[in-house]
Amino acid sequence: MLALAGYPLGLRCEFLDRDAATPGGQVAPILVGELDDAGRLAELASRSDVLTFDWENIPGKALAPLRRLTRIRPSPTALRLSQDRLHEKALFARLGIPIARHAAVDTRSQLLAALSRLGLPGVLKTRRLGYDGKGQAVIRRAAEAEAAWARFHDQPLIYEAFQPFAREVSIIGARSVSGELAYYPLAANTHADGVLRYCVAPYANRKLARAAALYLRRVMRALDYIGVLALEFFVVDGALVANEMAPRVHNSGHWTIEGCVTSQFENHLRAICDLPLGSTRVLGSAAMINFLGCLPSRERLLGIEGLAFHDYGKTPRAGRKLGHCTILRRGAADRNVALRRALKLIEWT
Ligand SMILES: Nc1ncnc2c1ncn2[C@@H]1O[C@H](COP(=O)(O)OP(=O)(O)O)[C@@H](O)[C@H]1O
Ligand SMILES: [Mg+2]
């Protein structure tokens, strides 16, 4: 989606991926190698004007030496911070952004202490390398702590108080080299088993939208951030509690391809290429639904007015994100009717 956004601007992408059959290969050359393969990275860096990433679990150490060869945006510092849930939370706290009560857990006794101090239910998460709900376990009763500990004890962990959220929202913004900022409206996100199923946007709530933009701006300024950044929140008692950040284009922003004047993908490229940012004005009421595990019927979905279909060309596998569709309508009520129709045609496996 980055490469597709870059084409009309005359920007050409090349991707490093472990798998030659990666979706990007349909529209751009692929360099096959491990993401920390110093030789491959140097090869890519030496022929690129700028390096970026769309996955945050890249070994930060591998990127740092490339700074001698080309620009890396966002910076390896922003990447490193977002790779560790404890450091991320410390940054949010330092910037006055509300977060869940939590504790670092490296030993069984620290886990027991965290359980008694923060109470139940809670979520035990690996500090690093988690995504799509991987590397976490909800602990509802004290008896479940042992099984969670057995699963993850060989890694640095964090225990968080469970947030009884009314909903989850995210904000996405872009910051350019010159410090210019652009924000997309809030998206309301529905997850199941830690994986985003669908989102609707704009989620109209002025107070929350203002707070989210303020927090995002604080993070981007603090990190001297360049590119697109996403912040995920829980809405608890009508206020935002920050969950995590993603230093990249975000699944909850896929709707911006059809739903906004300039997509998150294009704005990421504009930001990292030192171009003026594009308008984030919304063009209607949007919904985005992920295709997980298997592709739904293209014929039936395309029968829904205002629906755009995105097939990433991946091999189906249980739980894998294979594509998505976006619905764009003039009003929220109309959008909701189309969303319900589309959801009936989509099965998550
Ligand atoms: N402290 C929490 N309280 C309630 N739900 C949580 C908590 N932490 C995570 N979740 C649920 O799990 C999902 C994935 O967790 P998250 O921390 O965002 O990790 P990931 O990196 O996998 O996206 C969240 O979107 C939310 O639905
Ligand atoms: Mg998340």
Side-chain angles (χ1 to χ4, degrees):
M1 288 181 272
L2 281 167
L4 289 171
Y7 264 103
L9 300 178
L11 302 173
R12 295 293 173 263
C13 295
E14 180 172 357
F15 297 105
L16 174 65
D17 202 288
R18 281 181 289 224
D19 183 358
T22 188
Q26 297 167 88
V27 289
I30 303 296
L31 200 56
V32 180
E34 291 300 320
L35 303 183
D36 60 353
D37 180 328
R40 281 290 192 235
L41 283 166
E43 200 181 325
L44 192 64
S46 59
R47 56 172 181 256
S48 305
D49 295 312
V50 56
L51 281 194
T52 192
F53 38 86
D54 75 349
W55 197 55
E56 67 268 38
N57 290 320
I58 308 167
K61 260 197 229 126
L63 288 190
L66 304 175
R67 273 192 287 205
R68 273 182 279 114
L69 301 172
T70 192
R71 288 166 287 216
I72 305 174
R73 293 171 175 166
S75 71
T77 313
L79 174 69
R80 259 201 310 275
L81 255 168
S82 70
Q83 286 175 330
D84 188 319
R85 295 185 190 278
L86 192 66
H87 295 164
E88 195 173 78
K89 282 195 166 51
L91 172 74
F92 293 159
R94 182 163 70 76
L95 297 174
I97 301 171
I99 49 173
R101 298 195 324 128
H102 64 280
V105 170
D106 293 317
T107 63
R108 183 193 262 110
S109 64
Q110 281 174 349
L111 176 59
L112 297 178
L115 286 170
S116 73
R117 186 164 70 82
L118 302 174
L120 292 165
V123 189
L124 187 66
K125 301 180 181 180
T126 59
R127 278 168 55 180
R128 301 174 58 82
L129 300 176
Y131 70 98
D132 281 349
K134 293 180 179 55
Q136 48 181 283
V138 178
I139 303 179
R140 296 188 184 279
R141 292 174 292 114
E144 290 167 359
E146 207 53 51
W149 174 252
R151 260 175 82 193
F152 301 128
H153 72 276
D154 53 346
Q155 299 164 66
L157 304 171
I158 185 170
Y159 181 74
E160 292 175 15
F162 189 88
Q163 301 301 297
F165 57 83
R167 65 176 78 253
E168 292 187 80
V169 298
S170 56
I171 187 166
I172 294 173
R175 186 170 178 274
S176 71
V177 178
S178 64
E180 185 191 358
L181 293 163
Y183 308 101
Y184 292 95
L186 282 184
N189 305 324
T190 301
H191 295 87
D193 302 323
V195 184
L196 181 66
R197 304 294 154 134
Y198 62 92
C199 67
V200 297
Y203 173 62
N205 181 315
R206 275 218 197 138
K207 183 185 135 210
L208 295 184
R210 246 199 322 268
L214 176 72
Y215 298 153
L216 186 69
R217 184 162 65 235
R218 282 186 196 161
V219 175
M220 290 202 290
R221 288 205 176 135
L223 298 176
D224 195 13
Y225 194 86
I226 301 170
V228 159
L229 179 75
L231 275 187
E232 296 178 13
F233 300 96
F234 303 115
V235 181
V236 183
D237 297 330
L240 296 177
V241 175
N243 173 27
E244 62 169 351
M245 67 183 198
R248 53 170 167 82
V249 288
H250 196 253
N251 196 175
S252 72
H254 288 6
W255 65 275
T256 62
I257 297 175
E258 291 83 13
C260 293
V261 173
T262 315
S263 75
Q264 63 163 348
F265 301 98
E266 181 171 336
N267 262 334
H268 183 68
L269 294 174
R270 288 189 187 214
I272 65 171
C273 294
D274 208 357
L275 294 166
L277 297 181
S279 166
T280 52
R281 186 165 62 78
V282 289
L283 301 172
S285 290
M288 188 284 315
I289 313 171
N290 273 333
F291 302 152
L292 302 171
C294 62
L295 279 181
S297 160
R298 187 173 55 189
E299 284 71 16
R300 296 182 71 187
L301 275 175
L302 289 177
I304 297 174
E305 188 199 323
L307 183 140
F309 193 90
H310 296 256
D311 174 352
Y312 306 156
K314 289 179 174 174
T315 310
R317 195 172 62 220
R320 196 173 193 201
K321 285 181 182 166
L322 302 177
H324 73 270
C325 65
T326 301
I327 294 158
L328 184 67
R329 291 290 183 91
R330 279 172 75 159
D334 207 18
R335 184 266 325 273
N336 291 344
V337 171
L339 171 62
R340 278 195 294 273
R341 247 184 90 192
L343 283 171
K344 284 202 188 109
L345 299 175
I346 293 168
E347 199 193 350
W348 293 305
T349 61

